[in-house]
Amino acid sequence: MIEAKNITKYYGDLQVLKGVNLHIKKGEVIAIVGPSGAGKTTLLQILGTLDKPSPADNNILTLNGNHILNLNDKDLSQFRNQHIGFIFQFHQLLPEFTALENVCIPGFIGKRPKNEVIQAAKKLLEFLGLSHRIDHKPSELSGGEQQRVAVARALINNPKVIFADEPSGNLDSTSAKNLHELFFKLRDEFDQTFVIVTHNEELANMTDRKLEMQDGVIINGSSN
């Protein structure tokens, strides 16, 4: 599903990633763990095509057989919309839109038929226990409900992989536990791959594999 070789990243003279290598299989739920400043979020953003690695010899990044580093910006945006979903610590919902409208946005960006997107969004919100909240705006939802709407938005285009950056970091313990269990339910239901940056030990220990980062490299868990 995902293969990365010699992924390096500099910000000026600061080297954040120092030749990261990893392989993630389809249907795996992977946690990326490590101390702050280890390079976890930078790696996640590069794997998720939100950022690009610095030039390096023999660096490779493939996702579902597609060579990401060979795509131009237009093709990369289209690929991201069709194949990748994102869940962030802060849900990033648009406050002026309802739950249903927020979920629909990636589908509309992908120029899918409007009715098809709306029906898919309603089914996802129902699956996530939010069918009674579809017309509510984010300010009218609890933190856990907002994050479930963000999960539905990430799933609307049936992506091959979901990247999540501290997805439960802004939730109370009960909502966090429910969200963690939801990831595995979604994996079993839709056979999606999850790559999750987290400081939450409970979530990390639930995953199929932990990739432990330190000082810009993976020091444990990269083999599978």
Side-chain angles (χ1 to χ4, degrees), residues 30-221:
I30 298 295
I32 302 177
V33 302
S36 297
K40 303 184 300 297
T41 294
T42 299
L43 176 61
L44 191 80
Q45 290 175 339
I46 289 174
L47 296 179
T49 75
L50 295 175
D51 198 358
K52 295 181 179 180
S54 299
D57 292 336
N58 302 317
N59 61 343
I60 295 172
L61 177 57
T62 63
L63 197 157
N64 202 34
N66 296 272
H67 289 268
I68 302 302
L69 302 183
N70 296 337
L71 299 178
N72 61 37
D73 288 344
K74 180 180 178 180
D75 290 340
L76 189 61
S77 295
Q78 184 177 27
F79 178 87
R80 186 185 305 120
N81 176 261
Q82 294 176 350
H83 296 277
I84 297 174
F86 297 97
I87 305 168
F88 303 100
Q89 177 176 355
F90 300 99
H91 49 77
Q92 307 290 354
L93 301 177
L94 297 178
E96 66 270 28
F97 295 125
T98 66
L100 180 64
E101 290 167 338
N102 268 283
V103 175
C104 288
I105 288 171
F108 293 156
I109 291 173
K111 298 181 180 179
R112 293 169 55 193
K114 182 177 180 179
N115 287 339
E116 174 189 303
V117 174
I118 292 172
Q119 291 306 310
K122 287 180 177 179
K123 286 182 179 179
L124 281 170
L125 288 168
E126 180 179 2
F127 179 81
L128 297 174
L130 292 169
S131 57
H132 62 301
R133 307 292 270 167
I134 63 174
D135 294 324
H136 291 252
K137 293 184 177 180
S139 61
E140 301 170 310
L141 303 174
S142 70
E145 288 172 335
Q146 290 172 358
Q147 197 63 306
R148 277 184 281 156
V149 173
V151 170
R153 180 183 58 191
L155 294 169
I156 188 64
N157 285 339
N158 193 28
K160 300 296 187 296
V161 59
I162 306 293
F163 293 98
D165 192 359
E166 299 286 1
S168 58
N170 199 39
L171 300 178
D172 62 74
S173 58
T174 299
S175 296
K177 184 176 185 293
N178 291 338
L179 182 67
H180 300 164
E181 292 173 350
L182 175 62
F183 291 152
F184 294 90
K185 184 178 179 181
L186 290 169
R187 186 269 299 276
D188 295 340
E189 182 80 15
F190 300 111
D191 197 29
Q192 276 150 336
T193 305
F194 283 81
V195 183
I196 307 167
V197 164
T198 185
H199 283 102
N200 188 299
E201 291 186 13
E202 180 182 2
L203 173 57
N205 290 332
M206 291 170 65
T207 61
D208 300 318
R209 190 157 48 103
K210 290 191 290 186
L211 306 180
E212 184 178 357
M213 291 194 70
Q214 183 175 305
D215 297 327
V217 295
I218 295 174
I219 61 172
N220 189 32

